[in-house]
Amino acid sequence: APDQPSAPPAIAGQSGGCGVAGGRMTDTRRRVKVYTLNEDRQWDDRGTGHVSSCYVERLKGMSLLVRAESDGSLLLESKINPNTAYQKQQDTLIVWSEAENYDLALSFQEKAGCDEIWEKICQVQGKDPSVDITQDLVDESEEERFDDMSSPGLELPSCELSRLEEIAELVASSLPSPLRREKLALALENEGYIKKLLEIFHVCEDLENIEGLHHLYEIIKGIFLLNRTALFEVMFSEECIMDVIGCLEYDPSLSQSRKHREFLTKTAKFKEVIPISDPELKQKIHQTYRVQYIQDMVLPTPSVFEENMLSTLHSFIFFNKVEIVGMLQEDEKFLTDLFAQLTDEATDEEKRQELVNFLKEFCAFSQTLQPQNRDAFFKTLSNMGILPALEVILGMDDAQVRSAATDIFSYLVEYNPSMVREFVMQEAQQNDDDILLINLIIEHMICDTDPELGGAVLLMGLLRTLVDPENMLATANKTEKTEFLGFFYKHCMHVLTAPLLANTTEDKPSKDDFQTAQLLALILELLTFCVEHHTYHIKNYIINKDILRRVLVLMASKHAFLALCALRFKRKIIGLKDEFYNRYIMKSFLFEPVVKAFLNNGSRYNLMNSAIIEMFEFIRVEDIKSLTAHVIENYWKALEDVDYVQTFKGLKLRFEQQRERQDNPKLDSMRSILRNHRYRRDARTLEDEEEMWFNTDEDDMEDGEAVVPPSDKPKNDEDIMDPISKFMERKKLKESEEKEVLLKTNLSGRQSPSFKLSFSSGTKSNLTSQSSASNLPGSPGSPGSPGSPGSPGSVSKSTSQMAAITTK
């Protein structure tokens, strides 16, 4: 049966009736887990609760109800149908089919509770509770019903060598009829018939009676298809299971017998990496392996008709695995020894490999546990030190050991990424960056020798899970997102981007083979994810390290998928409509590689052509003024002949309208008032912590790095301030005229932010579209600009040459 909880939590369902009790119950007899059989013939856990039986008016009959112990919700409501076949297995399981392809199981914590519910079911169906199965009569003919009334049991031929053919025919003829299957199963159980058949098997083998062995194969295969737990318990017992496998070696359809017993006794070796002291556990492991072998290797692939007949065999294996995990988990000495040897430097390589393979299989078995038991399982492994152990193993040279450790790590990340993040942040306080667990994972990803990078793809998926803010926790006094992303960008990001930076030092990628291109595409995929989800952390990193320029070198790659990855990265940045990014792009002329790739692509109508045009179309449609001006002023001559789309002509039109408004600022301000509904704030609002970051002085930035490379800063601030001071004098003269306009704006019912202006070395001004930039230190203290609420604001003098102000 599934693992039984030692001390159940507070119970929501009431043991005796259909109601729900709020108090804690000491009676656990009716505590059950509900399972359903999925399409892959695996049992899915549906929850834990308390079962009761009572009359349900809506269903017009006695029904089984299971209420969840967590919240009292109804997990199961099933009418006890007089014609449904219910089956009791292993003393604590009741299994039945609700519909043709919908099997259900109740796993009881205690045998007494299972017996109580079984009696209720048998009472409704008019059956003796001593039986292990009630019979479905729906598909039987009238003749069979008459036979049932006239002959209460099925008489088996005497178990003799000369009558094996007769027995085989009887078994084969009984399989199509549910009634005859039931009678045959009862007869086999009551007479100890299976053990007698296995005695004849030894005689046939000694006499080399091939015909008899073929009959025994058909008989034993038929007994499997009876789908009866009581028979399985006899067949899979220690004394019988190898003989059962022996019978199945003699398939009449094969010219030679299979050597299954030889494989199980000589080739397959049971390795106790840590000695198991519990004999019951050891026997259960042996039994499960052999039964799994029978299902996967010995029995022929079942037909559609036979598939449902083996459902009990699937269940037998499933519940055995659950029981094994539970018993191992409770053996503290076993787990302590396991982890001690894993991390002991004196452990030899072969032994360590066996330990890691065992731990991997142990984690795989845990997938059969229900959620709360899986919680306890991984918590136990965490307390035992599984993550430090994995760190040691991942640093080893043996590729097989590292591969198994990676699989274990994937189980942990998928189950509880927060647990992994907490560990790596704690170890960062004691260890160097190059031996951190996450950096080891990144290095394995970069060094993957598989030409298709199968391992690297898996590891990239795990990294993405770890850096995904969607699964990060936030509490009143601790924000996991802030702490972990700060750690990741400080200690790990340079390791992730190292291959990218090493390969993009020139105008073309220094290595452009397929495997390198695949690796760089994976890295770009993760960086693109970061741009979308990490906002200011990735923004600081990209601008400080000039990452976008390096990425765009890959536009010259001969591999189209890599060039498109680079383009997608830039498109994601532009899609944010963030003026910090826009100024960085313009200052570094980062449209040049894109325009080059567009022109080199020529007249070919392909994905590259469409993606580049879509990027410029986005700038036009969203009216990103700074980028529009930059593109037209610097690249119009290269693009003006493109007439098969109207994108570039549309950009030119936007630019001319923009210049016209610059030339007539007063007219533009009046238009803004009349059309204020067209302006809206960006839907993305910065978090408080991000705004605090942007409000800090540039001198306070990490490592003292500025937002733009030092060579791009203004050389002479006085040259810039001179036209500003002149304009401010003219501006003061107009203040009285503009007060009325601003007053009307503030009365419109929307909050009016304070906007400030910045200027380039010309005499005309242009407003930028990122109002948050006005909060930067060093902004000139000019009064609010004329215009409607939500109209574009401006940037400070310290970034004036980065601003989207182009006056000629």
Side-chain angles (χ1 to χ4, degrees):
D3 55 322
Q4 307 298 345
S6 55
I11 304 300
Q14 188 169 353
S15 173
C18 295
V20 177
R24 183 178 181 85
M25 292 181 56
T26 55
D27 181 12
T28 58
R29 287 179 305 161
R30 298 285 186 91
R31 190 165 189 262
V32 296
K33 300 170 196 169
V34 180
Y35 290 93
T36 58
L37 199 64
N38 63 26
E39 292 178 356
D40 299 324
R41 312 302 296 168
Q42 299 294 321
W43 287 104
D44 290 336
D45 174 51
R46 297 299 183 189
T48 302
H50 282 73
V51 64
S52 59
S53 61
C54 63
Y55 185 85
V56 176
E57 181 65 34
R58 183 174 61 81
L59 300 177
K60 304 294 183 187
M62 290 294 291
S63 304
L64 296 177
L65 282 78
V66 179
R67 293 195 177 275
E69 65 180 2
S70 56
D71 57 7
S73 60
L74 203 59
L75 295 177
L76 175 70
E77 185 180 58
S78 173
K79 181 182 176 181
I80 303 173
N81 193 313
N83 296 321
T84 297
Y86 291 84
Q87 192 173 0
K88 188 165 75 163
Q89 303 175 7
Q90 302 178 18
D91 291 333
T92 55
L93 277 173
I94 296 177
V95 182
W96 72 99
S97 294
E98 196 85 325
E100 186 175 344
N101 291 313
Y102 188 64
D103 290 3
L104 288 159
L106 293 180
S107 174
F108 288 77
Q109 180 165 331
E110 296 182 12
K111 180 180 182 296
C114 183
D115 291 342
E116 287 178 13
I117 294 299
W118 184 248
E119 285 179 17
K120 294 280 187 184
I121 293 170
C122 291
Q123 183 182 342
V124 171
Q125 296 201 340
K127 301 287 180 181
D128 185 341
S130 63
V131 302
D132 284 342
I133 187 168
T134 63
Q135 190 49 57
D136 184 354
L137 301 174
V138 174
D139 295 331
E140 293 164 12
S141 65
E142 291 298 325
E143 185 181 348
E144 285 178 318
R145 294 191 189 197
F146 179 76
D147 288 345
D148 183 32
M149 294 163 62
S150 60
S151 57
L154 184 72
E155 191 172 335
L156 291 169
S158 58
C159 196
E160 298 172 6
L161 179 58
S162 60
R163 305 192 70 176
L164 283 178
E165 184 176 0
E166 187 183 343
I167 298 168
E169 288 175 357
L170 176 65
V171 171
S173 64
S174 299
L175 289 175
S177 163
L179 173 62
R180 290 178 67 80
R181 282 206 313 270
E182 169 66 11
K183 286 182 177 180
L184 176 61
L186 287 171
L188 290 168
E189 287 174 40
N190 296 337
E191 298 179 24
Y193 210 79
I194 292 174
K195 291 186 179 180
K196 294 176 185 176
L197 287 170
L198 296 178
E199 287 173 8
I200 295 179
F201 167 71
H202 286 291
V203 173
C204 286
E205 275 209 314
D206 291 341
L207 298 174
E208 297 185 359
N209 185 338
I210 300 301
E211 185 182 356
L213 291 170
H214 285 170
H215 288 319
L216 281 167
Y217 171 89
E218 297 292 354
I219 293 167
I220 296 297
K221 178 190 169 188
I223 293 174
F224 268 96
L225 296 176
L226 291 175
N227 210 23
R228 185 72 174 242
T229 306
L231 296 177
F232 285 160
E233 287 173 352
V234 174
M235 295 164 73
F236 299 153
S237 64
E238 189 71 26
E239 58 180 315
C240 294
I241 189 166
M242 294 307 287
D243 290 338
V244 169
I245 293 170
C247 290
L248 293 170
E249 289 180 354
Y250 295 95
D251 185 346
S253 64
L254 300 174
S255 57
Q256 282 190 321
S257 62
R258 298 291 179 88
K259 305 295 183 185
H260 295 305
R261 286 171 295 174
E262 185 179 320
F263 173 82
L264 289 171
T265 53
K266 295 180 181 177
T267 308
K269 298 294 183 186
F270 176 61
K271 293 181 178 178
E272 283 186 83
V273 289
I274 303 290
I276 296 173
S277 55
D278 186 348
E280 184 187 351
L281 172 59
K282 195 180 293 189
Q283 190 273 330
K284 186 73 70 176
I285 292 170
H286 282 302
Q287 185 190 60
T288 305
Y289 175 76
R290 289 166 181 170
V291 176
Q292 185 88 55
Y293 182 82
I294 289 173
Q295 178 185 265
D296 295 341
M297 303 301 296
V298 181
L299 286 176
T301 305
S303 65
V304 175
F305 166 70
E306 295 170 337
E307 177 66 33
N308 288 336
M309 291 185 173
L310 291 173
S311 60
T312 306
L313 185 61
H314 292 294
S315 305
F316 190 95
I317 295 168
F318 172 82
F319 292 124
N320 262 18
K321 287 181 177 180
V322 170
E323 204 169 335
I324 289 169
V325 172
M327 293 168 81
L328 282 173
Q329 193 178 333
E330 290 166 9
D331 191 341
E332 289 187 12
K333 182 179 184 305
F334 179 88
L335 290 177
T336 305
D337 291 348
L338 172 67
F339 284 102
Q341 290 190 36
L342 261 179
T343 52
D344 188 353
E345 292 181 5
T347 305
D348 64 71
E349 293 301 312
E350 186 178 350
K351 177 74 170 176
R352 185 174 276 111
Q353 184 173 340
E354 291 174 357
L355 291 165
V356 174
N357 286 333
F358 168 79
L359 190 55
K360 174 185 170 181
E361 196 164 349
F362 192 30
C363 290
F365 266 38
S366 74
Q367 302 306 296
T368 61
L369 297 175
Q370 64 182 60
Q372 56 264 47
N373 289 341
R374 206 178 306 157
D375 285 351
F377 172 80
F378 281 111
K379 196 167 184 180
T380 301
L381 292 187
S382 177
N383 293 339
M384 290 286 177
I386 189 168
L387 285 167
L390 285 179
E391 195 167 38
V392 171
I393 299 163
L394 285 167
M396 294 177 178
D397 296 330
D398 190 318
Q400 284 186 318
V401 169
R402 289 203 313 265
S403 175
T406 302
D407 290 336
I408 298 167
F409 184 69
S410 71
Y411 283 122
L412 295 171
V413 171
E414 287 165 14
Y415 164 70
N416 190 348
S418 290
M419 178 178 76
V420 178
R421 284 191 284 259
E422 187 176 354
F423 169 76
V424 295
M425 285 192 287
Q426 286 175 353
E427 67 161 353
Q429 299 168 7
Q430 295 133 10
N431 297 336
D432 296 331
D433 285 1
D434 57 347
I435 60 170
L436 294 180
L437 178 58
I438 290 191
N439 287 346
L440 286 172
I441 294 294
I442 294 173
E443 285 167 16
H444 288 320
M445 182 194 80
I446 292 170
C447 301
D448 188 3
T449 54
D450 178 8
E452 297 296 326
L453 294 186
V457 172
L458 169 67
L459 294 172
M460 183 58 75
L462 298 178
L463 284 174
R464 182 169 174 155
T465 302
L466 287 173
V467 300
D468 187 356
E470 294 297 319
N471 61 42
M472 294 186 186
L473 306 173
T475 58
N477 50 6
K478 178 184 176 184
T479 306
E480 187 181 20
K481 176 181 174 182
T482 307
E483 292 182 8
F484 181 75
L485 292 184
F487 155 83
F488 182 78
Y489 280 86
K490 183 174 182 180
H491 297 282
C492 308
M493 186 57 104
H494 65 281
V495 182
L496 178 67
T497 55
L500 171 69
L501 298 176
N503 209 39
T504 54
T505 52
E506 308 294 332
D507 291 339
K508 288 186 176 181
S510 51
K511 282 181 70 179
D512 204 17
D513 58 279
F514 179 72
Q515 191 165 353
T516 303
Q518 273 197 309
L519 176 63
L520 294 178
L522 277 177
I523 294 171
L524 280 180
E525 186 182 332
L526 186 60
L527 289 177
T528 305
F529 177 83
C530 294
V531 167
E532 185 176 3
H533 292 88
H534 293 175
T535 56
Y536 75 94
H537 286 96
I538 188 71
K539 185 190 302 183
N540 187 21
Y541 190 82
I542 288 173
I543 295 176
N544 284 342
K545 305 295 184 186
D546 202 14
I547 294 294
L548 181 55
R549 178 194 296 279
R550 307 295 284 272
V551 167
L552 291 175
V553 169
L554 302 176
M555 293 285 292
S557 170
K558 66 183 180 185
H559 299 285
F561 70 88
L562 181 57
L564 286 166
C565 281
L567 183 63
R568 191 182 306 123
F569 179 71
K570 179 170 182 176
R571 173 65 178 80
K572 186 66 72 175
I573 289 174
I574 290 176
L576 298 177
K577 299 188 287 186
D578 186 316
E579 280 301 311
F580 278 85
Y581 277 131
N582 292 349
R583 288 193 291 273
Y584 161 60
I585 289 169
M586 293 183 297
K587 195 66 185 174
S588 302
F589 292 95
L590 295 182
F591 274 102
E592 188 172 317
V594 178
V595 173
K596 258 187 195 173
F598 182 70
L599 297 175
N600 290 339
N601 192 60
S603 58
R604 280 174 292 180
Y605 179 52
N606 53 18
L607 188 55
M608 177 65 75
N609 174 275
S610 299
I612 293 175
I613 290 174
E614 189 279 333
M615 177 189 291
F616 287 111
E617 182 68 11
F618 177 82
I619 294 170
R620 184 192 71 79
V621 171
E622 295 296 323
D623 195 16
I624 305 177
K625 295 179 173 58
S626 53
L627 295 183
T628 301
H630 176 75
V631 169
I632 296 302
E633 288 176 351
N634 294 283
Y635 308 107
W636 172 244
K637 286 189 177 179
L639 301 171
E640 63 180 335
D641 293 334
V642 179
D643 54 7
Y644 54 88
V645 289
Q646 297 302 307
T647 298
F648 300 108
K649 289 181 169 55
L651 269 178
K652 183 73 169 7
L653 181 61
R654 287 275 194 200
F655 173 69
E656 288 169 351
Q657 291 170 344
Q658 191 174 318
R659 290 291 294 268
E660 182 185 345
R661 286 195 292 270
Q662 287 177 0
D663 292 338
N664 300 283
K666 198 160 187 178
L667 175 64
D668 185 42
S669 67
M670 291 307 294
R671 283 178 182 166
S672 295
I673 296 169
L674 294 172
R675 297 176 302 174
N676 61 53
H677 65 279
R678 290 184 60 187
Y679 292 95
R680 61 186 185 279
R681 284 203 177 268
D682 195 317
R684 292 187 321 108
T685 56
L686 294 174
E687 296 179 12
D688 293 341
E689 65 205 36
E690 296 171 3
E691 296 210 8
M692 287 170 60
W693 183 85
F694 282 118
N695 289 338
T696 56
D697 290 331
E698 288 176 357
D699 294 336
D700 295 336
M701 285 186 183
E702 187 182 337
D703 300 328
E705 292 177 290
V707 174
V708 288
S711 60
D712 292 336
K713 290 187 178 179
K715 294 180 180 178
N716 191 338
D717 286 345
E718 291 180 4
D719 293 342
I720 296 168
M721 287 306 296
D722 184 55
I724 293 177
S725 58
K726 289 178 181 178
F727 181 89
M728 293 304 294
E729 291 174 9
R730 293 199 303 273
K731 186 71 179 162
K732 287 177 182 177
L733 297 174
K734 296 181 180 179
E735 275 188 4
S736 58
E737 297 174 14
E738 294 175 348
K739 277 182 182 177
E740 184 178 351
V741 174
L742 288 172
L743 181 61
K744 288 179 182 177
T745 303
N746 287 330
L747 291 174
S748 66
R750 293 162 61 186
Q751 185 179 358
S752 176
S754 61
F755 297 108
K756 298 173 184 173
L757 294 167
S758 69
F759 312 93
S760 68
S761 54
T763 56
K764 293 175 184 174
S765 70
N766 176 32
L767 304 178
T768 66
S769 63
Q770 185 75 9
S771 59
S772 62
S774 62
N775 296 326
L776 282 169
S779 293
S782 60
S785 64
S788 61
S791 63
S794 68
V795 296
S796 68
K797 63 162 183 151
S798 63
T799 55
S800 58
Q801 286 205 348
M802 291 171 62
I805 300 158
T806 312
T807 58
K808 290 187 178 179

